[in-house]
């Protein structure tokens, strides 16, 4: 479909259309936008792209994406090494860090169990987490996987795997309830029922 | 409840339509392929956001919209009068370029209830309809899936907890069946099934318990309706068959021991959970060999006995049709009981299938309903005294006009 175009442009369009949420039309729009960009800006983009393949490593301890291993969070002596928060994706770490409420460490699983997508426990960093529980002075594991079917399956699997090596460890799950700015009238029953169950003492 | 106003833009064969519906029954008359059924489908969609079973969603957009418009879309807007207060529902469908070329354009649906955006799940139950079609015969004569669809369609319109549980159940089932295949390919471990089993049982028991309850309620209502439609010939009874009580469910009837009532079969949810767990355990070798889950509410069935004869396999067409009508009438009545308001009843060309006697009885059994909208190619088959109270509209080539009486 791109035979009348220079091969480089066609290749760029093909690469863009491989990205999630981008169809062939959006892909060509992006490609032509880049072509009209000042060359310096396009070069900056291409360097940023190269950067993610060359400058990024997985932290050997928490498996988050970082420029060095251990990552800044794991290397920070001010953080509580007795607390480990288990998340699905690196973006979840970022979200939790934005709260400035959490001072423990993380463990990134890199996905959730989903047989439909052929992702099983062996494809996640669950074995690595079990090893950490064995050797690190962890007091509490906070399971912060998504409140979805797949997230719940992952949390349950992690819980069982960890319990098999440590029966005393405190394991908690993030509370579920109403979002800020939400409207009780329009909340679904499952969320409302959970919020009712997880209600907290006033004052 | 009543539908007061219906307006369509680029919906199926309608380019533009604005219709105000009067009190009393509405008859949509006209030749075939003029757009009568499309009007009922639009009303059905206002209640469920989906086209009736067997109608592909994609075809709902006016067939020519792409040629004379820059942007193919369709809009269905309805104004509803209810005990709980008025309601406006707007459904907007557009075709959008998909992520992958293979799938072609995707149909994007947006729903507004009283001008505020809502998810499809939250629309269900706001406006209730019961659609009668000639295909209802399949509830009795067709495959078990038709009978489950009957129960699910009814329950989803009155019980949002059921609807959510059913949708989760189906998600869990899909994941679990994929896992079974992964285990068979030695890419997964049998121990990974534990979570999915737990969730399958949890949502499955809710689905099952509410289906058992609804079956008992439907039976209580349908017995009398069937009696009045059939005028004798034996009492109707309904039985719900759990897949794990019968390996050949759906092929033969009569699983429960004679005289076993629904109450006994229903049991408590704790028993149901234990039964489901045991059935999953028993069938594990078969599951691993075939990569499917052979037990659970997705394999259950319903049977209808009249005078001790299983109507699924042994009823005559006439008997089966009478049972199907009784079931649809019972659906409307049960919805009315649960919601405290009558659903709108839609009859799509069902009268032509009936003899004059049953035609009259069906219409008289719908007397209490707030609003009945029916389509027919031949209004002469309607009883004259009934027709006198109805409003007759003529549907022709995607337009609707009032019928001008030829005689006083």
């Amino acid at each position: 479909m791109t035979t009348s175009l220079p091969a480089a442009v066609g290749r760029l369009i093909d690469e863009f259309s491989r990205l999630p949420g981008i169809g062939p039309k959006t892909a060509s729009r992006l490609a032509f936008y880049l072509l009209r960009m000042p060359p310096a800006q396009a070069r900056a983009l291409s360097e940023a792209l190269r950067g993610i393949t060359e400058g990024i490593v997985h932290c050997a301890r928490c498996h988050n994406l970082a420029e060095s291993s251990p990552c800044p969070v794991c290397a920070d002596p001010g953080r509580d090494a007795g607390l480990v928060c288990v998340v699905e994706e690196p973006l979840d770490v970022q979200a939790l860090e934005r709260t400035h409420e959490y001072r423990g460490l993380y463990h990134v699983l890199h996905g959730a169990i989903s047989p439909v997508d052929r992702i099983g426990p062996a494809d996640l960093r669950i074995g690595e987490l079990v090893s950490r529980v064995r050797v690190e002075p962890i007091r509490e594991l906070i399971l912060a996987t998504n409140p979805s079917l797949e997230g719940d399956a992952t949390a349950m699997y992690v819980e069982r795997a960890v319990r098999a090596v440590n029966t005393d460890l405190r394991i908690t799950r993030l509370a579920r309830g109403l979002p800020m700015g939400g409207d009780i009238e329009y909340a679904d029953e499952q969320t409302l029922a959970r919020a009712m169950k997880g209600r907290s003492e006033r004052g | 409840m009543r539908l007061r106003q219906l307006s369509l833009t680029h919906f199926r064969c309608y380019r533009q339509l604005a219709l105000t519906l009067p009190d009393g029954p509405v008859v949509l008359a006209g030749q075939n392929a003029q757009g009568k059924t499309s009007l009922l489908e639009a009303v059905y969609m206002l209640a469920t956001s989906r086209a009736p079973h067997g109608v592909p969603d994609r075809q709902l957009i006016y067939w020519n919209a792409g040629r004379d418009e820059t942007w193919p879309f369709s809009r269905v807007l309805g104004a509803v009068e209810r005990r709980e207060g008025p309601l406006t529902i707007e459904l907007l469908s557009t075709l959008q370029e998909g992520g992958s070329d293979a799938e072609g354009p995707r149909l994007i649906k947006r729903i507004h209830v009283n001008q505020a955006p809502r998810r499809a799940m939250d629309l269900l139950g706001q406006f209730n309809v019961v659609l009668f079609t000639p295909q209802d015969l399949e509830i009795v004569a067709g495959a078990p899936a038709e009978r489950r669809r009957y129960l699910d369609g009814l329950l989803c319109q009155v019980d949002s907890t059921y609807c959510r549980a059913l949708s989760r159940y189906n998600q869990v089932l899909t994941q679990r069946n994929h896992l079974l295949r992964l285990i068979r390919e030695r890419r997964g471990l049998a121990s990974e099934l534990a979570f999915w089993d737990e969730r399958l049982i949890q949502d499955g028991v809710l689905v099952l318990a509410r289906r058992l309850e609804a079956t008992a309620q439907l039976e209580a209502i349908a017995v009398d309706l069937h009696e009045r439609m059939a005028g004798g010939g034996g009492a109707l009874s309904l039985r719900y068959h759990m897949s794990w009580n019968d390996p050949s469910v759906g092929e033969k009837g009569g699983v429960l021991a004679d005289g076993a009532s629904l109450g006994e079969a229903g049991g408590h949810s704790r028993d149901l959970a234990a039964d489901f767990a045991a059935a999953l355990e028993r069938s594990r070798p078969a599951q691993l060999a075939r990569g499917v889950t052979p037990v659970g509410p997705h394999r259950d069935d319903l049977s209808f006995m009249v005078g001790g004869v299983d109507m699924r396999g042994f009823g005559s067409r006439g008997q089966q049709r009478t049972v199907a009508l009784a079931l649809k009438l019972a659906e409307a009545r049960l919805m009315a009981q649960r919601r405290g308001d009558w659903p709108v009843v839609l009859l799509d060309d069902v009268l032509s299938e009936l003899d004059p006697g049953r035609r009259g009885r069906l219409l008289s059994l719908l007397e209490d309903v707030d609003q009945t909208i029916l389509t027919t190619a031949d209004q002469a088959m309607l009883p004259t005294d009934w027709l006198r109270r109805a409003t007759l509209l003529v549907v022709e080539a995607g337009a609707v006009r009032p019928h001008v009486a030829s005689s006083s």
Side-chain angles (χ1 to χ4, degrees):
Chain A
M1 77 184 229
T2 50
T3 45
S4 60
L5 290 168
V9 180
R11 232 176 65 212
L12 185 60
I13 292 175
D14 290 345
E15 289 303 327
F16 273 134
S17 49
R18 256 185 263 256
L19 300 177
I22 294 188
K25 268 190 192 157
T26 313
S28 19
R29 232 182 41 232
L30 285 172
F32 282 98
Y33 180 81
L34 289 182
L35 277 172
R36 295 195 188 100
M37 237 181 199
Q41 219 178 316
R43 259 199 301 279
L45 178 69
S46 91
E47 263 150 43
L49 276 177
R50 182 166 319 135
I52 65 167
T53 57
E54 286 165 12
I56 301 290
V57 294
H58 280 202
C59 169
R61 191 172 185 187
C62 72
H63 298 278
N64 196 7
L65 299 176
E67 283 162 21
S68 58
S69 175
C71 69
V73 174
C74 289
D76 183 350
R79 303 209 52 136
D80 183 352
L83 270 180
V84 171
C85 181
V86 182
V87 298
E88 291 179 19
E89 300 291 346
L91 277 176
D92 302 334
V93 173
Q94 229 190 4
L96 285 159
E97 282 297 286
R98 274 201 301 268
T99 66
H100 302 291
E101 284 286 328
Y102 180 65
R103 298 301 299 162
L105 303 181
Y106 293 95
H107 189 88
V108 182
L109 297 170
H110 290 276
I113 294 173
S114 174
V116 170
D117 305 307
R118 303 182 75 86
I119 299 172
D123 302 306
L124 307 175
R125 306 293 161 95
I126 294 175
E128 289 86 341
L129 178 64
V130 172
S131 313
R132 284 183 73 180
V133 168
R134 276 212 177 96
V135 299
E136 292 181 27
I138 301 173
R139 297 188 313 276
E140 179 178 350
L141 211 58
I142 305 164
L143 301 178
T145 52
N146 286 329
S148 62
L149 191 56
E150 292 75 21
D152 285 348
T154 310
M156 184 171 144
Y157 194 88
V158 166
E159 188 188 333
R160 291 195 177 180
V162 169
R163 276 275 173 258
V165 300
N166 186 331
T167 46
D168 311 321
L169 184 66
R170 183 169 183 221
I171 301 180
T172 55
R173 184 100 168 87
L174 281 194
R176 293 172 183 200
L178 300 167
M180 285 300 289
D183 202 328
I184 289 184
E185 187 188 345
Y186 297 125
D188 64 273
E189 292 97 44
Q190 213 190 352
T191 305
L192 259 181
R194 285 227 166 95
M196 186 57 91
K197 232 181 233 166
R199 67 189 185 276
S200 53
E201 209 71 52
R202 291 272 293 156
Chain B
M1 46 186 82
R2 266 194 193 94
L3 182 67
R4 276 300 178 199
Q5 246 140 24
L6 178 69
S7 66
L8 306 176
T9 309
H10 292 175
F11 180 83
R12 291 182 66 104
C13 59
Y14 292 91
R15 187 186 286 264
Q16 193 71 252
L17 176 82
L19 201 59
T20 301
L21 297 160
D23 280 336
V26 176
V27 176
L28 301 167
Q31 302 295 307
N32 289 327
Q34 302 298 309
K36 303 190 298 290
T37 297
S38 301
L39 281 178
L40 296 191
E41 281 168 1
V43 180
Y44 182 90
M45 283 187 70
L46 286 174
T48 63
S49 86
R50 283 202 223 156
H53 176 65
V55 181
D57 265 0
R58 221 173 270 212
Q59 288 176 14
L60 293 173
I61 295 182
Y62 180 59
W63 62 276
N64 210 11
R67 272 180 251 175
D68 52 0
E69 298 290 325
T70 47
W71 180 45
F73 79 102
S74 85
R75 181 167 170 265
V76 179
L77 180 72
V80 176
E81 205 177 84
R82 306 179 301 175
R83 293 247 164 87
E84 289 165 82
L87 185 72
T88 64
I89 302 166
E90 184 184 17
L91 305 174
L92 205 61
S93 311
T94 58
L95 285 175
Q96 223 169 62
E97 195 187 329
S100 73
D101 300 42
E103 284 173 29
R106 278 189 306 152
L107 189 76
I108 309 284
K109 284 193 271 189
R110 274 184 300 163
I111 301 165
H112 286 83
V113 176
N114 289 337
Q115 279 84 42
R118 287 284 173 266
R119 292 173 303 175
M121 195 70 96
D122 299 322
L123 173 68
L124 274 170
Q126 300 267 2
F127 169 50
N128 299 113
V129 301
V130 175
L131 172 65
F132 289 62
T133 80
Q135 286 83 48
D136 292 338
L137 185 66
E138 295 298 307
I139 300 170
V140 183
E146 303 283 345
R147 291 181 276 281
R148 291 191 296 268
R149 188 176 297 116
Y150 163 72
L151 281 178
D152 291 343
L154 160 65
L155 281 167
C156 279
Q157 275 200 58
V158 292
D159 184 348
S160 60
T161 305
Y162 179 85
C163 199
R164 278 174 225 276
L166 181 65
S167 137
R168 276 198 310 269
Y169 178 85
N170 288 326
Q171 264 180 305
V172 174
L173 191 64
T174 309
Q175 288 283 17
R176 188 181 190 277
N177 287 342
H178 272 85
L179 179 56
L180 287 170
R181 275 164 241 154
L182 289 178
I183 295 169
R184 191 176 51 183
E185 295 165 23
R186 309 206 176 281
R187 290 179 42 94
L189 295 171
S191 60
E192 291 169 38
L193 280 168
F195 167 81
W196 304 105
D197 287 2
E198 194 175 288
R199 292 298 299 265
L200 196 73
I201 292 167
Q202 187 186 322
D203 288 320
V205 164
L206 191 147
V207 165
L208 190 48
R210 296 202 180 194
R211 281 190 189 166
L212 287 167
E213 183 193 4
T215 305
Q217 291 173 340
L218 278 169
E219 185 183 49
I221 300 169
V223 166
D224 172 55
L225 292 167
H226 179 262
E227 167 74 38
R228 287 162 72 181
M229 279 305 293
L236 172 69
S237 66
L238 270 62
R239 284 179 187 179
Y240 189 90
H241 302 260
M242 284 176 261
S243 55
W244 51 74
N245 286 339
D246 179 18
S248 62
V249 126
E251 286 145 40
K252 288 180 221 105
V255 178
L256 301 175
D258 274 337
S261 74
L262 275 165
E264 289 168 54
H268 299 292
S269 22
R270 199 180 302 151
D271 301 336
L272 293 175
D275 289 350
F276 196 176
L280 280 174
E281 197 56 51
R282 269 200 310 276
S283 59
R284 185 128 317 171
Q287 294 169 31
L288 291 169
R290 287 163 49 217
V292 293
T293 306
V295 289
H298 63 291
R299 290 289 179 92
D300 287 352
D301 199 0
L302 197 60
S303 70
F304 318 106
M305 312 288 281
V306 174
V309 178
D310 188 341
M311 285 294 118
R312 291 176 302 179
F314 302 103
S316 70
R317 282 279 131 158
Q319 284 177 314
Q320 289 178 332
R321 200 169 289 287
T322 305
V323 172
L325 284 170
L327 291 170
K328 295 300 287 188
L329 287 165
E331 178 181 356
R333 261 164 220 272
L334 185 54
M335 266 191 210
Q337 269 180 22
R338 295 252 189 129
R339 295 279 282 109
D341 206 349
W342 278 101
V344 169
V345 170
L346 310 169
L347 302 176
D348 189 15
D349 201 25
V350 291
L351 297 175
S352 60
E353 314 270 333
L354 306 176
D355 56 68
R358 284 194 296 171
R359 218 178 278 155
R361 288 200 287 279
L362 174 62
L363 291 175
S364 75
L365 286 171
L366 288 170
E367 212 90 299
D368 304 337
V369 174
D370 289 339
Q371 187 176 41
T372 303
I373 307 175
L374 66 84
T375 67
T376 180
D378 177 17
Q379 66 257 34
M381 70 168 63
L382 294 162
T384 39
D385 55 329
W386 185 87
L387 201 51
R388 212 170 290 131
R389 285 177 288 117
T391 304
L392 191 58
L393 299 171
V394 178
V395 181
E396 200 172 18
V400 178
R401 57 181 165 80
H403 176 75
V404 185
S406 49
S407 65
S408 61

